[in-house]
Amino acid sequence: MRYLPAIRYLQSRNISSSKILFSSVEAGRRRVVVTGLGVVSPVGCNVTQAWNNILAGVSGIKRLTGESYEKLPCRVAASIDPRDLNVEAHFGKTELKTMARATALAMIASKQALEQAGWLPTDEFDCRRTGVAIGMGMVDLMDVCETNDALKRGYNRVSPFFVPRILPNMPAGQISIKYGFRGPNHSVSTACATGAHSIGDAFRIIQHGDADVMVCGGAEACISPLAIAGFCRLRALSTSFNEEPHKSSRPFDNARDGFVMGEGSAVFVLEELEHAKRRNVPIIAEILGYGLSGDASHLTAPREDGTGAILAMSRALENANISPNDVGYINAHATSTPIGDAIEARAVRTLFMDNWSKLAVSSTKGAHGHLLGAAGNLEAMFTVLACNQGKIAPTINLESSAEEMQGMNFVPNVPQDWQTDKTQRRIALKNSFGFGGTNASLCFSEYKE
């Protein structure tokens, strides 16, 4: 195995950084760049608004209202402000009957991304070379409950669109149908790693020549009393800040007590480099590598030694043909859980060894909560913008961190400038980890010839 030294390190826990080796890039591998971005999220419903709010530390987390929520331990969530987005204005009534809210959000974000990329092909060849990879972490549980209640009143009360509404691949299907894209049609559902896996898989599809353009990302819209109750029973959600919702998501902070559910979608247009250059379209960033791993440990908790995270990150670096010393920023998965944030910080310190103190590591979940299947892609968007603009988004609500995290630059509360030598590219990792022990890490960089 090409990354055997890294694995031996994990086994021995006593290996020098000089033994982590990365092989040369495979000959003839196609370069993949980002040419379009679109977003609907708790911190904004276009890229400029969302990015400005993230840099300003604006929180999109609010108190949940209604009798059903008052009975629950967690009464906060990060929902999209209806003043920012009226879904009904984008679709006809008949269209809305055919799709879940998550699908609608993905379609709105996709439209933004495709328009920015200037890619709305009508040529048959171009449509056949354009694919879609949009994932969803979980369906809207209330849709299932309401349909079950309808069935009790009679078979004919069940909507003929019930099954299409709850299938996780329907965002990808609806987008391909709308735009006539006949390339690979792919859907990932890997819990909270869904969005990152979708982007990574799309990256490889283009690399391997199965498409020239991919529309990719994730969508999630499942905030409901049942979903909140279910995650509360897992003791996964924050319960200590119901009266101060904006303080409830606090990655890496000593007072963190669980994550905050969010909703939204972020969509990328990925493109083969030469294809983008022929169109003379602005290039936002480049994807250099993609790494995956499994914890093989526990249903909800990561391995205590951070093995899964280390393997995903090291494989992304190896795939990118770079060393840990080349990375300047990590957008962490860090969801604001006591266990998960500490393990991810430990994994970063372990893998980056002598270089960890020079890294900037931040989690934007303090502002927008945890979008589950749409988390990795939303945060990948902020990672791409950091590479593009030289600004690193802050970790808000970070007041103090544990002793084992001392010395790490978590970019507390205010953004930081990302300075590099003019001859170097800004290079970042984006981590995403999901229940079941599924892990993904994406490597992005500033685009340079």
Side-chain angles (χ1 to χ4, degrees), residues 98-379:
T98 71
M99 64 181 75
R101 178 174 169 82
T103 298
L105 299 181
M107 294 187 73
I108 295 168
S110 295
K111 183 175 185 290
Q112 293 178 22
L114 287 163
E115 288 178 348
Q116 182 183 26
W119 188 247
L120 296 163
T122 56
D123 179 79
E124 180 68 18
F125 178 81
D126 288 338
C127 287
R128 290 184 179 184
R129 297 294 298 169
T130 303
V132 184
I134 304 284
M136 185 191 303
M138 59 187 282
V139 301
D140 183 355
L141 300 179
M142 294 310 296
D143 208 344
V144 179
C145 292
E146 289 167 3
T147 303
N148 184 60
D149 289 341
L151 178 59
K152 292 176 182 177
R153 297 195 301 271
Y155 162 76
N156 290 330
R157 298 294 185 95
V158 174
S159 169
F161 300 114
F162 168 61
V163 171
R165 284 171 62 92
I166 66 169
L167 290 177
N169 73 311
M170 275 301 155
Q174 291 266 22
I175 291 164
S176 68
I177 292 167
K178 178 176 177 62
Y179 296 102
F181 296 150
R182 296 179 178 85
N185 190 280
H186 182 51
S187 179
V188 179
S189 186
T190 48
C192 306
T194 295
H197 277 139
S198 297
I199 295 170
D201 289 353
F203 161 66
R204 287 191 173 171
I205 286 170
I206 295 174
Q207 265 196 335
H208 294 165
D210 295 320
D212 295 323
V213 181
M214 289 293 294
V215 181
C216 58
E220 201 77 84
C222 58
I223 298 172
S224 69
L226 181 56
I228 296 289
F231 280 107
C232 278
R233 290 291 290 161
L234 280 175
R235 298 184 179 179
L237 299 185
S238 173
T239 60
S240 300
F241 298 90
N242 290 327
E243 304 307 318
E244 298 177 290
H246 63 285
K247 294 183 179 181
S248 55
S249 182
R250 41 198 320 115
F252 300 118
D253 186 74
N254 274 337
R256 68 189 187 277
D257 70 328
F259 72 79
V260 175
M261 283 186 68
E263 64 172 359
S265 178
V267 172
F268 283 49
V269 174
L270 302 186
E271 194 164 347
E272 190 271 326
L273 175 60
E274 296 305 319
H275 188 277
K277 288 168 72 173
R278 285 194 298 272
R279 297 196 306 117
N280 198 30
V281 63
I283 294 172
I284 302 167
E286 182 172 2
I287 303 187
L288 302 182
Y290 174 39
L292 308 88
S293 73
D295 279 314
S297 176
H298 189 270
L299 285 175
T300 58
R303 289 182 66 93
E304 189 173 338
D305 62 2
T307 300
I310 295 169
L311 283 174
M313 288 187 287
S314 65
R315 289 167 179 171
L317 294 174
E318 186 219 9
N319 185 230
N321 192 37
I322 63 173
S323 79
N325 292 335
D326 296 318
V327 177
Y329 170 52
I330 297 176
N331 185 294
H333 178 68
T335 62
S336 186
T337 59
I339 295 175
D341 292 14
I343 291 174
E344 186 173 8
R346 191 176 307 138
V348 169
R349 292 174 73 130
T350 300
L351 180 62
F352 286 83
M353 298 180 186
D354 301 332
N355 195 47
W356 63 262
S357 61
K358 302 173 185 177
L359 281 171
V361 181
S362 73
S363 171
T364 55
K365 287 187 175 77
H368 54 66
H370 187 12
L371 273 65
L372 307 180
N377 47 308
L378 176 63
E379 294 151 27

